Amino acid sequence: MEVIIAKDYETLSRQAATIIAAQVIGQPDSVLGLATGSTPVGTYKHLVALYREGIIDFSRVKTFNLDEYYGVAPDNPCSYRWFMEENLFKHINILPENTYIPNGLAQDTAAECREYEEKIHRAGGIDLQLLGIGGNGHIGFNEPGNSFQPATHLVDLDQQTIEANSRFFASPDQVPRQALSMGIKSIMAARRIILLANGKAKARAVYEMIRGPITPELPASVLQLHPQAAVIIDQEAAALL
Ligand code: GLP
C-alpha cells in the first residue's frame, strides 16, 4: 500500500484529481468507482475544473458509486445520487446513462444488489476506485463486523456512522438506518484504488488501516492486500503514523 502524505486538503484533492484525470486521458472509456462524503468534494471540484479547461473528456467514462441510503429517493437532497449530480455529474459531459448508483428505492434489494454487480461486470470491471474512510474504518458502507461482506449488499448502519452522517440531515433520527453498498470483494476487484482521508478525526482509522492487522473489525485494513492501492492523506490524518 503506497502512502502519500499531502500537506493539506487542497493538495490532497489536487493529487487525487490528477490521478483520476491521468486514468481518463490514458483510457477514455475508463470505469471509475466513485465515493460520496465530504472527503472527495475537493477532488470533484478539481475534476470539474480540468473538464472546463478541456483537459478531460468524460463522454465515454462510466461510473459506479459505492453506495446509496436505503429508502431514500434519488431526488431527495440527502441521497447520494443527488450528491453526485450536484458535486460532479451536472458539471461535466458524462452521459447520465453511464452513471450508476444503487437504487435506494428497490423493493427487491437482493435483486438490485445482484444486478448492480452484473452491471459492473458487464462494464468490464472498475479501473480506478476512489474511496473515503469512516471514523470506524468503514469503506463504502462496509461496517466493522465478523466477516468481510463480499458483494453488493443491504447494510445495517453502525450507530457511529449514523451519528457522523447526521450532519447531512435535519436531525439524527432522519438518517436512514440501512444502505445498499458495494462489498469488500466488489471494491478489491478494482484494478487500482485510491483512498483519501483528511482531518484528525480520521487519524486512528488511518493508523489501523495501514499499521494494524487485516481484520473485518477495521474493513479498510483489507486494502493492505491490494496490489495497486494508494492512500492519500493530509498531515492531520497521518498524525499517528
Ligand atoms: C460515508 C460513506 C463513505 C465515506 C465515509 C466518510 O458514510 N458511505 O463512502 O467514505 O462515510 O465520509 P466523510 O468523507 O464525509 O468523512
Side-chain angles (χ1 to χ4, degrees):
M1 182 188 275
E2 185 188 1
V3 179
I4 301 166
I5 301 177
K7 85 170 178 333
D8 53 23
Y9 178 70
E10 171 62 17
T11 311
L12 169 160
S13 301
R14 197 165 356 96
Q15 286 187 338
T18 303
I19 293 169
I20 297 168
Q23 170 69 40
V24 173
I25 291 166
Q27 187 187 334
D29 62 350
S30 287
V31 179
L32 303 178
L34 298 179
T36 51
S38 328
T39 311
V41 169
T43 303
Y44 295 150
K45 283 203 176 98
H46 280 283
L47 284 176
V48 170
L50 290 169
Y51 165 72
R52 288 188 177 144
E53 288 161 25
I55 293 167
I56 4 177
D57 170 19
F58 288 92
S59 62
R60 294 172 60 200
V61 168
K62 289 193 172 81
T63 62
F64 285 88
N65 264 77
L66 284 164
D67 44 19
E68 178 60 281
Y69 288 116
Y70 185 53
V72 174
D75 61 354
N76 181 329
C78 293
S79 72
Y80 282 166
R81 165 59 74 179
W82 184 278
F83 174 98
M84 289 309 302
E85 294 294 337
E86 289 301 308
N87 286 286
L88 184 65
F89 297 155
K90 77 177 191 189
H91 306 290
I92 60 175
N93 67 335
I94 195 159
L95 301 177
E97 61 269 33
N98 284 345
T99 66
Y100 297 88
I101 300 181
N103 175 12
L105 295 183
Q107 295 290 316
D108 183 344
T109 54
E112 172 65 17
C113 292
R114 207 170 43 243
E115 283 161 20
Y116 202 65
E117 290 287 329
E118 283 165 10
K119 285 174 191 162
I120 296 172
H121 182 71
R122 276 201 298 275
I126 292 171
D127 294 301
L128 176 60
Q129 176 70 56
L130 182 65
L131 295 174
I133 183 170
N136 62 359
H138 75 213
I139 45 176
F141 269 133
N142 289 275
E143 300 285 30
N146 298 327
S147 61
F148 290 120
Q149 294 298 309
T152 303
H153 60 294
L154 181 66
V155 186
D156 291 327
L157 299 178
D158 254 22
Q159 193 53 37
Q160 189 181 335
T161 301
I162 291 166
E163 281 160 25
N165 289 0
S166 65
R167 67 190 194 279
F168 298 113
F169 293 81
S171 67
D173 55 295
Q174 289 189 20
V175 184
R177 268 39 187 174
Q178 290 183 304
L180 299 171
S181 176
M182 275 166 59
I184 293 296
K185 182 177 162 199
S186 337
I187 293 169
M188 289 293 279
R191 293 177 190 97
R192 196 168 162 212
I193 295 176
I194 47 176
L195 182 145
L196 311 179
N198 67 291
K200 56 181 186 297
K202 300 292 173 66
R204 172 55 56 189
V206 163
Y207 174 84
E208 296 292 339
M209 165 178 67
I210 296 170
R211 301 260 192 265
I214 298 167
T215 166
E217 290 298 331
L218 200 296
S221 64
V222 76
L223 299 175
Q224 292 177 31
L225 297 173
H226 197 284
Q228 293 282 354
V231 173
I232 311 179
I233 51 184
D234 73 351
Q235 288 180 351
E236 287 187 345
L240 300 178
L241 292 176

